[in-house]
Amino acid sequence: MATPTTIVAYLALFVFFGFAFLFLTLVVGWLLRPKLPNTEKLEVYECGEPTIGSSFVQFDLRFYVVALLFIIFDVEVAFFFPWATVYGKATHLMDPNLAKVTAEGTLTEPAAALFTEMGVEHAQVPALSDAMAEASTGLSAQAQGELAITQLATTIAQISIFDIAVFFAVLLVGFAYVWKRGDLDWVRALSRERAAQLARPPRAAEEQEPALTP
């Protein structure tokens, strides 16, 4: 089980390598990228809007649409972390090398800590299912407890995977909907042109229509 000191050390190591990677890429880019400053390149250019007129202007609504889509479809990925945490703890409980039950039939400290991290307080050894209980007849209480915890952890892991798949499918359906509506097109006029092209009859049908004579 990781101690607080180990967790802090891992975080510090992660932050160090993050800053080192950022610094290294900036230095390499500064050394390798071409340098050709001119009047046009040195002009202020912010978010695709040329600096024309006063700075107190209303931004194009397309920027707000992109920001809303980012919040809806990208930031919601953070909701995967609770499921991922539960799945990780469940797979850890499924590890055969982890001692889960003592000889007295109670949970060991590592197994109890994993249940606590998953939000289960005062966890106890679960009961085996009827089929598993019949198959494990003759085993010791410790072995039956190990099987029961492994069975429960497998069920929790499967439910976590199913929940993540459903949540991700809902996000994909919403993303496909806004893409079909044309909300992802930077120039909305292109969406209207595509709709007009789809609604237009084929060229062969237009040629078969009789021409109007004065």
Side-chain angles (χ1 to χ4, degrees):
M1 181 178 177
T3 61
T5 305
T6 306
I7 295 175
V8 172
Y10 280 130
L11 291 176
L13 188 64
F14 178 79
V15 172
F16 170 77
F17 276 103
F19 278 104
F21 178 78
L22 178 62
F23 178 76
L24 181 63
T25 52
L26 290 176
V27 171
V28 172
W30 179 74
L31 293 175
L32 298 181
R33 65 173 173 260
K35 299 179 179 64
L36 186 60
N38 52 56
T39 304
E40 185 176 359
K41 289 182 66 176
L42 294 178
E43 288 182 355
V44 179
Y45 190 74
E46 184 70 23
C47 295
E49 292 288 342
T51 55
I52 300 176
S54 173
S55 59
F56 297 96
V57 296
Q58 183 179 5
F59 277 89
D60 197 319
L61 288 177
R62 291 173 294 186
F63 294 111
Y64 299 101
V65 172
V66 172
L68 288 174
L69 291 176
F70 173 79
I71 293 174
I72 294 172
F73 297 107
D74 290 351
V75 178
E76 285 190 0
V77 176
F79 291 106
F80 287 170
F81 285 101
W83 284 313
T85 300
V86 173
Y87 178 79
K89 304 302 179 184
T91 53
H92 194 183
L93 282 173
M94 295 163 55
D95 187 1
N97 297 324
L98 176 67
K100 310 175 187 64
V101 182
T102 62
E104 293 78 14
T106 59
L107 288 175
T108 60
E109 291 186 3
L114 289 174
F115 277 111
T116 303
E117 292 173 358
M118 286 192 294
V120 180
E121 298 181 358
H122 309 293
Q124 298 178 356
V125 178
L128 283 170
S129 61
D130 296 337
M132 187 66 70
E134 294 179 0
S136 61
T137 303
L139 296 178
S140 62
Q142 182 179 8
Q144 290 183 355
E146 297 272 349
L147 287 175
I149 293 178
T150 303
Q151 183 184 25
L152 177 62
T154 304
T155 304
I156 293 174
Q158 292 174 351
I159 293 175
S160 300
I161 289 294
F162 178 76
D163 287 345
I164 292 175
V166 170
F167 183 78
F168 191 67
V170 171
L171 286 181
L172 289 181
V173 170
F175 190 80
Y177 174 73
V178 297
W179 174 73
K180 185 67 176 178
R181 277 172 44 91
D183 293 334
L184 300 181
D185 291 334
W186 186 247
V187 181
R188 293 299 299 273
L190 295 177
S191 302
R192 292 191 291 269
E193 292 179 4
R194 293 174 184 174
Q197 291 176 359
L198 293 176
R200 186 181 305 167
R203 184 176 299 275
E206 293 178 354
E207 293 177 353
Q208 292 176 1
E209 296 179 356
L212 297 177
T213 56

